[in-house]
Amino acid sequence: MEITLSTQAPEQQAQEWNGVVEALLPSTPAAAAWPHLASFCALHRYLSGVDVCERVAGEWAHEELLELDDAARRLSYAVVGGNMGFGRYVATMTVAEETEAAGCRIVWEFECEPVQGWSRDGLVGYLDHAVKGMAARIEEAATADE
């Protein structure tokens, strides 16, 4: 009989993680929110913990924009390097109109290999916090644009 022991947590053994986090912008129409999210290299204005796109001190991730679709209000990107434990990571962010309210919603979908040093729930919690902070900052900026 052969017994194999794994030093990885059960969620680390999974081949792929995926998930979705969302945040509501109750008073900002999608057309007003999209230009802020579409400025991929300006996300440091809206995403807490990102100082400047070019900065590489401390924890960092090198991201590549894969798609920017203004008509669909969607962008996709991949993490292609860094020191935060990411292997393969691809995400899509969409600004969707709310059907029952005046505002919009940011939807952040991801799929990735298990991230070193993270649990799947930890990553989802991090992204959930990030998208909510981003939504608040975009709503603030969109209001200032009016």
Side-chain angles (χ1 to χ4, degrees):
M1 171 168 54
E2 182 177 330
I3 298 174
T4 303
L5 298 176
S6 174
T7 58
Q8 294 180 325
E11 64 268 6
Q12 290 282 338
Q13 294 175 22
Q15 294 296 317
E16 183 173 284
W17 294 349
N18 57 58
V20 178
V21 294
E22 300 182 5
L24 180 65
L25 289 78
S27 61
T28 304
W34 172 244
H36 297 279
L37 188 63
S39 299
F40 186 69
C41 288
L43 284 180
H44 63 281
R45 296 180 194 155
Y46 311 109
L47 188 57
S48 177
V50 176
D51 295 326
V52 180
C53 284
E54 295 81 25
R55 186 177 173 141
V56 293
E59 288 188 340
W60 60 276
H62 180 202
E63 298 172 346
E64 178 182 349
L65 182 63
L66 303 174
E67 174 193 38
L68 183 65
D69 185 335
D70 288 322
R73 294 187 186 109
R74 178 182 64 232
L75 68 82
S76 296
Y77 70 96
V79 173
V80 295
N83 67 354
M84 296 177 63
F86 286 95
R88 189 186 66 75
Y89 175 93
V90 178
T92 299
M93 300 175 91
T94 306
V95 175
E97 288 286 355
E98 277 296 291
T99 55
E100 299 178 18
C104 67
R105 178 175 303 276
I106 297 174
V107 181
W108 189 341
E109 301 174 69
F110 74 92
E111 62 178 55
C112 64
E113 295 173 342
V115 181
Q116 295 173 1
W118 293 69
S119 68
R120 182 193 174 282
D121 289 345
L123 179 61
V124 170
Y126 170 80
L127 295 176
D128 186 60
H129 178 76
V131 76
K132 286 178 174 51
M134 187 184 308
R137 287 178 187 87
I138 289 174
E139 189 150 73
E140 205 174 279
T143 300
D145 291 346
E146 293 176 350

